[in-house]
Short mmCIF file of all heavy atoms in Angstrom, two decimals:
data_model
loop_
_atom_site.label_atom_id
_atom_site.label_comp_id
_atom_site.label_asym_id
_atom_site.label_seq_id
_atom_site.Cartn_x
_atom_site.Cartn_y
_atom_site.Cartn_z
N PRO A 863 -73.25 21.00 33.85
CA PRO A 863 -72.40 21.81 32.98
C PRO A 863 -71.59 20.92 32.03
O PRO A 863 -70.92 20.00 32.47
CB PRO A 863 -71.46 22.55 33.93
CG PRO A 863 -72.00 22.33 35.29
CD PRO A 863 -72.86 21.12 35.25
N ILE A 864 -71.70 21.18 30.74
CA ILE A 864 -70.95 20.42 29.76
C ILE A 864 -69.92 21.35 29.11
O ILE A 864 -70.26 22.44 28.67
CB ILE A 864 -71.88 19.84 28.67
CG1 ILE A 864 -72.85 18.84 29.29
CG2 ILE A 864 -71.06 19.19 27.56
CD1 ILE A 864 -73.89 18.32 28.31
N ILE A 865 -68.68 20.89 29.11
CA ILE A 865 -67.59 21.59 28.43
C ILE A 865 -67.17 20.70 27.26
O ILE A 865 -66.79 19.55 27.46
CB ILE A 865 -66.40 21.84 29.36
CG1 ILE A 865 -66.82 22.69 30.55
CG2 ILE A 865 -65.24 22.49 28.59
CD1 ILE A 865 -65.75 22.81 31.63
N VAL A 866 -67.26 21.22 26.06
CA VAL A 866 -66.91 20.45 24.86
C VAL A 866 -65.45 20.68 24.52
O VAL A 866 -64.97 21.80 24.52
CB VAL A 866 -67.80 20.89 23.67
CG1 VAL A 866 -67.29 20.29 22.37
CG2 VAL A 866 -69.23 20.51 23.92
N MET A 867 -64.75 19.56 24.25
CA MET A 867 -63.38 19.61 23.77
C MET A 867 -63.35 18.80 22.48
O MET A 867 -63.70 17.62 22.49
CB MET A 867 -62.43 19.00 24.79
CG MET A 867 -62.37 19.79 26.07
SD MET A 867 -61.41 18.97 27.35
CE MET A 867 -62.61 17.77 27.91
N SER A 868 -62.96 19.43 21.38
CA SER A 868 -63.00 18.71 20.12
C SER A 868 -61.97 19.24 19.13
O SER A 868 -61.69 20.43 19.09
CB SER A 868 -64.39 18.81 19.49
OG SER A 868 -64.43 18.09 18.28
N ALA A 869 -61.46 18.32 18.33
CA ALA A 869 -60.61 18.67 17.20
C ALA A 869 -61.34 18.35 15.91
O ALA A 869 -60.82 18.55 14.82
CB ALA A 869 -59.30 17.89 17.26
N MET A 870 -62.58 17.85 16.03
CA MET A 870 -63.32 17.34 14.89
C MET A 870 -64.14 18.37 14.14
O MET A 870 -64.61 18.12 13.06
CB MET A 870 -64.22 16.19 15.32
CG MET A 870 -63.47 15.02 15.91
SD MET A 870 -62.25 14.32 14.78
CE MET A 870 -63.32 13.69 13.51
N PHE A 871 -64.41 19.52 14.73
CA PHE A 871 -65.23 20.50 14.06
C PHE A 871 -64.78 21.90 14.45
O PHE A 871 -64.03 22.09 15.39
CB PHE A 871 -66.72 20.30 14.37
CG PHE A 871 -67.07 20.47 15.83
CD1 PHE A 871 -67.47 21.69 16.33
CD2 PHE A 871 -67.02 19.39 16.69
CE1 PHE A 871 -67.80 21.84 17.66
CE2 PHE A 871 -67.35 19.54 18.02
CZ PHE A 871 -67.74 20.76 18.50
N ASP A 872 -65.26 22.85 13.73
CA ASP A 872 -64.95 24.25 13.98
C ASP A 872 -65.81 24.72 15.15
O ASP A 872 -67.00 24.98 14.99
CB ASP A 872 -65.25 25.05 12.72
CG ASP A 872 -64.90 26.51 12.84
OD1 ASP A 872 -64.53 26.96 13.95
OD2 ASP A 872 -65.01 27.21 11.83
N VAL A 873 -65.23 24.81 16.32
CA VAL A 873 -65.98 25.13 17.54
C VAL A 873 -66.77 26.44 17.41
O VAL A 873 -67.96 26.46 17.72
CB VAL A 873 -65.04 25.15 18.77
CG1 VAL A 873 -65.77 25.65 20.00
CG2 VAL A 873 -64.49 23.76 19.03
N PRO A 874 -66.17 27.53 16.95
CA PRO A 874 -66.98 28.76 16.85
C PRO A 874 -68.20 28.62 15.95
O PRO A 874 -69.27 29.15 16.27
CB PRO A 874 -65.99 29.78 16.29
CG PRO A 874 -64.65 29.27 16.69
CD PRO A 874 -64.78 27.77 16.62
N ARG A 875 -68.09 27.90 14.84
CA ARG A 875 -69.24 27.74 13.94
C ARG A 875 -70.32 26.87 14.56
O ARG A 875 -71.50 27.00 14.24
CB ARG A 875 -68.79 27.13 12.61
CG ARG A 875 -68.02 28.12 11.75
CD ARG A 875 -67.72 27.55 10.40
NE ARG A 875 -68.95 27.15 9.72
CZ ARG A 875 -69.01 26.24 8.78
NH1 ARG A 875 -67.93 25.60 8.40
NH2 ARG A 875 -70.16 25.94 8.21
N ALA A 876 -69.94 25.96 15.44
CA ALA A 876 -70.90 25.06 16.07
C ALA A 876 -71.51 25.64 17.34
O ALA A 876 -72.36 25.03 17.96
CB ALA A 876 -70.23 23.73 16.39
N ALA A 877 -71.10 26.84 17.72
CA ALA A 877 -71.51 27.43 18.99
C ALA A 877 -73.03 27.50 19.16
O ALA A 877 -73.55 27.22 20.24
CB ALA A 877 -70.89 28.81 19.16
N THR A 878 -73.76 27.84 18.13
CA THR A 878 -75.22 27.96 18.23
C THR A 878 -75.84 26.61 18.57
O THR A 878 -76.67 26.51 19.46
CB THR A 878 -75.82 28.50 16.93
OG1 THR A 878 -75.23 29.77 16.66
CG2 THR A 878 -77.31 28.65 17.04
N ALA A 879 -75.44 25.57 17.86
CA ALA A 879 -75.97 24.24 18.13
C ALA A 879 -75.59 23.76 19.52
O ALA A 879 -76.39 23.16 20.23
CB ALA A 879 -75.47 23.24 17.09
N LEU A 880 -74.37 24.07 19.93
CA LEU A 880 -73.92 23.67 21.25
C LEU A 880 -74.69 24.41 22.34
O LEU A 880 -75.07 23.82 23.35
CB LEU A 880 -72.42 23.93 21.40
CG LEU A 880 -71.53 23.08 20.49
CD1 LEU A 880 -70.09 23.58 20.55
CD2 LEU A 880 -71.61 21.61 20.88
N GLN A 881 -74.96 25.68 22.14
CA GLN A 881 -75.73 26.44 23.12
C GLN A 881 -77.13 25.88 23.26
O GLN A 881 -77.69 25.86 24.35
CB GLN A 881 -75.77 27.92 22.74
CG GLN A 881 -74.46 28.62 22.98
CD GLN A 881 -74.49 30.07 22.50
OE1 GLN A 881 -75.42 30.50 21.85
NE2 GLN A 881 -73.44 30.81 22.83
N ALA A 882 -77.71 25.40 22.18
CA ALA A 882 -79.04 24.81 22.23
C ALA A 882 -79.05 23.56 23.11
O ALA A 882 -80.08 23.23 23.69
CB ALA A 882 -79.53 24.47 20.82
N LEU A 883 -77.92 22.89 23.22
CA LEU A 883 -77.79 21.71 24.08
C LEU A 883 -77.39 22.09 25.50
O LEU A 883 -77.23 21.22 26.35
CB LEU A 883 -76.76 20.74 23.51
CG LEU A 883 -77.15 20.03 22.23
CD1 LEU A 883 -75.97 19.22 21.71
CD2 LEU A 883 -78.34 19.11 22.48
N GLY A 884 -77.21 23.37 25.75
CA GLY A 884 -76.83 23.80 27.09
C GLY A 884 -75.36 23.66 27.38
O GLY A 884 -74.95 23.62 28.53
N VAL A 885 -74.55 23.57 26.34
CA VAL A 885 -73.10 23.49 26.53
C VAL A 885 -72.61 24.82 27.08
O VAL A 885 -72.96 25.88 26.56
CB VAL A 885 -72.39 23.12 25.21
CG1 VAL A 885 -70.89 23.25 25.34
CG2 VAL A 885 -72.78 21.71 24.79
N ARG A 886 -71.84 24.78 28.14
CA ARG A 886 -71.40 25.99 28.81
C ARG A 886 -70.13 26.58 28.23
O ARG A 886 -69.90 27.78 28.33
CB ARG A 886 -71.18 25.72 30.30
CG ARG A 886 -72.38 25.15 31.01
CD ARG A 886 -73.38 26.24 31.40
NE ARG A 886 -74.57 25.69 31.97
CZ ARG A 886 -74.73 25.34 33.23
NH1 ARG A 886 -73.74 25.49 34.08
NH2 ARG A 886 -75.87 24.85 33.65
N ALA A 887 -69.27 25.73 27.65
CA ALA A 887 -68.01 26.23 27.10
C ALA A 887 -67.48 25.25 26.06
O ALA A 887 -67.83 24.08 26.07
CB ALA A 887 -66.97 26.40 28.22
N CYS A 888 -66.64 25.77 25.18
CA CYS A 888 -66.03 24.97 24.12
C CYS A 888 -64.53 25.22 24.10
O CYS A 888 -64.09 26.36 24.19
CB CYS A 888 -66.59 25.36 22.76
SG CYS A 888 -68.36 25.25 22.62
N LEU A 889 -63.78 24.15 23.98
CA LEU A 889 -62.34 24.23 23.83
C LEU A 889 -61.94 23.46 22.59
O LEU A 889 -62.34 22.30 22.42
CB LEU A 889 -61.62 23.63 25.04
CG LEU A 889 -61.78 24.35 26.38
CD1 LEU A 889 -61.14 23.52 27.49
CD2 LEU A 889 -61.15 25.71 26.31
N ALA A 890 -61.16 24.08 21.74
CA ALA A 890 -60.64 23.39 20.56
C ALA A 890 -59.36 22.67 20.96
O ALA A 890 -58.54 23.19 21.71
CB ALA A 890 -60.37 24.40 19.45
N LYS A 891 -59.22 21.43 20.48
CA LYS A 891 -57.98 20.68 20.73
C LYS A 891 -56.94 21.10 19.72
O LYS A 891 -57.28 21.35 18.57
CB LYS A 891 -58.24 19.18 20.59
CG LYS A 891 -59.11 18.62 21.68
CD LYS A 891 -59.28 17.13 21.45
CE LYS A 891 -60.20 16.51 22.45
NZ LYS A 891 -60.39 15.07 22.20
N PRO A 892 -55.69 21.16 20.10
CA PRO A 892 -55.21 20.98 21.47
C PRO A 892 -55.59 22.17 22.33
O PRO A 892 -55.65 23.31 21.85
CB PRO A 892 -53.71 20.88 21.31
CG PRO A 892 -53.41 21.64 20.06
CD PRO A 892 -54.62 21.48 19.17
N PHE A 893 -55.89 21.92 23.59
CA PHE A 893 -56.30 22.98 24.49
C PHE A 893 -55.27 23.14 25.60
O PHE A 893 -54.47 22.23 25.87
CB PHE A 893 -57.68 22.70 25.08
CG PHE A 893 -57.76 21.40 25.85
CD1 PHE A 893 -57.44 21.37 27.20
CD2 PHE A 893 -58.11 20.24 25.22
CE1 PHE A 893 -57.49 20.19 27.90
CE2 PHE A 893 -58.18 19.05 25.92
CZ PHE A 893 -57.86 19.02 27.27
N ASP A 894 -55.30 24.28 26.23
CA ASP A 894 -54.40 24.58 27.34
C ASP A 894 -55.02 24.04 28.62
O ASP A 894 -56.18 24.35 28.93
CB ASP A 894 -54.19 26.09 27.42
CG ASP A 894 -53.28 26.48 28.54
OD1 ASP A 894 -52.06 26.26 28.42
OD2 ASP A 894 -53.80 27.00 29.56
N ILE A 895 -54.29 23.26 29.36
CA ILE A 895 -54.81 22.64 30.58
C ILE A 895 -55.26 23.69 31.60
O ILE A 895 -56.24 23.49 32.31
CB ILE A 895 -53.81 21.63 31.19
CG1 ILE A 895 -54.47 20.80 32.29
CG2 ILE A 895 -52.59 22.37 31.75
CD1 ILE A 895 -55.49 19.84 31.80
N GLU A 896 -54.57 24.81 31.64
CA GLU A 896 -54.97 25.87 32.58
C GLU A 896 -56.34 26.43 32.22
O GLU A 896 -57.14 26.74 33.10
CB GLU A 896 -53.91 26.98 32.62
CG GLU A 896 -52.59 26.53 33.22
CD GLU A 896 -52.71 26.01 34.65
OE1 GLU A 896 -53.50 26.57 35.44
OE2 GLU A 896 -52.02 25.02 34.97
N ASN A 897 -56.63 26.55 30.93
CA ASN A 897 -57.96 27.01 30.51
C ASN A 897 -59.03 26.01 30.93
O ASN A 897 -60.10 26.40 31.41
CB ASN A 897 -58.02 27.21 28.99
CG ASN A 897 -57.25 28.42 28.54
OD1 ASN A 897 -56.90 29.29 29.34
ND2 ASN A 897 -56.98 28.48 27.26
N LEU A 898 -58.75 24.72 30.75
CA LEU A 898 -59.71 23.69 31.16
C LEU A 898 -59.94 23.74 32.66
O LEU A 898 -61.09 23.73 33.12
CB LEU A 898 -59.22 22.30 30.74
CG LEU A 898 -60.07 21.14 31.25
CD1 LEU A 898 -61.50 21.22 30.73
CD2 LEU A 898 -59.43 19.81 30.87
N LEU A 899 -58.88 23.79 33.43
CA LEU A 899 -59.02 23.83 34.89
C LEU A 899 -59.78 25.07 35.35
O LEU A 899 -60.59 25.01 36.28
CB LEU A 899 -57.65 23.76 35.57
CG LEU A 899 -56.91 22.42 35.38
CD1 LEU A 899 -55.51 22.52 35.96
CD2 LEU A 899 -57.69 21.28 35.97
N SER A 900 -59.56 26.18 34.70
CA SER A 900 -60.28 27.40 35.01
C SER A 900 -61.77 27.23 34.76
O SER A 900 -62.61 27.64 35.58
CB SER A 900 -59.72 28.56 34.20
OG SER A 900 -60.46 29.73 34.41
N LEU A 901 -62.13 26.64 33.62
CA LEU A 901 -63.55 26.42 33.30
C LEU A 901 -64.18 25.45 34.29
O LEU A 901 -65.31 25.67 34.75
CB LEU A 901 -63.70 25.87 31.89
CG LEU A 901 -63.47 26.89 30.77
CD1 LEU A 901 -63.38 26.18 29.43
CD2 LEU A 901 -64.59 27.91 30.76
N VAL A 902 -63.48 24.38 34.62
CA VAL A 902 -64.01 23.41 35.58
C VAL A 902 -64.27 24.08 36.92
O VAL A 902 -65.33 23.89 37.51
CB VAL A 902 -63.07 22.19 35.72
CG1 VAL A 902 -63.48 21.32 36.89
CG2 VAL A 902 -63.04 21.39 34.43
N SER A 903 -63.34 24.88 37.40
CA SER A 903 -63.55 25.55 38.68
C SER A 903 -64.68 26.57 38.60
O SER A 903 -65.39 26.78 39.58
CB SER A 903 -62.26 26.21 39.17
OG SER A 903 -61.89 27.28 38.34
N GLU A 904 -64.87 27.17 37.45
CA GLU A 904 -65.95 28.13 37.26
C GLU A 904 -67.32 27.46 37.41
O GLU A 904 -68.26 28.04 37.95
CB GLU A 904 -65.83 28.78 35.89
CG GLU A 904 -66.87 29.81 35.58
CD GLU A 904 -66.70 30.41 34.20
OE1 GLU A 904 -65.59 30.42 33.67
OE2 GLU A 904 -67.73 30.86 33.66
N PHE A 905 -67.45 26.25 36.91
CA PHE A 905 -68.74 25.56 36.90
C PHE A 905 -68.92 24.58 38.06
O PHE A 905 -69.98 23.99 38.20
CB PHE A 905 -68.96 24.84 35.57
CG PHE A 905 -68.98 25.76 34.40
CD1 PHE A 905 -68.07 25.64 33.38
CD2 PHE A 905 -69.91 26.80 34.32
CE1 PHE A 905 -68.08 26.49 32.30
CE2 PHE A 905 -69.93 27.67 33.25
CZ PHE A 905 -69.00 27.51 32.24
#
């Protein structure tokens, strides 16, 4: 499971390309630590 965290690109616009790589979730920086921990526990 790959969770992408980035401030370098527009995460929603890149979603299709990320899904092709099997990325399970995307978080835009700055991100909420609780959201990250929730995703990690999910996967």
Side-chain angles (χ1 to χ4, degrees):
I864 296 174
I865 300 171
V866 170
M867 295 173 281
S868 181
M870 299 302 294
F871 62 92
D872 182 354
V873 173
R875 287 186 57 205
T878 302
L880 294 170
Q881 286 176 351
L883 291 173
V885 171
R886 304 279 175 84
C888 304
L889 293 173
K891 291 181 183 178
F893 59 88
D894 180 73
I895 191 68
E896 293 301 322
N897 288 344
L898 174 60
L899 293 174
S900 176
L901 286 169
V902 169
S903 67
E904 181 180 335
F905 299 120

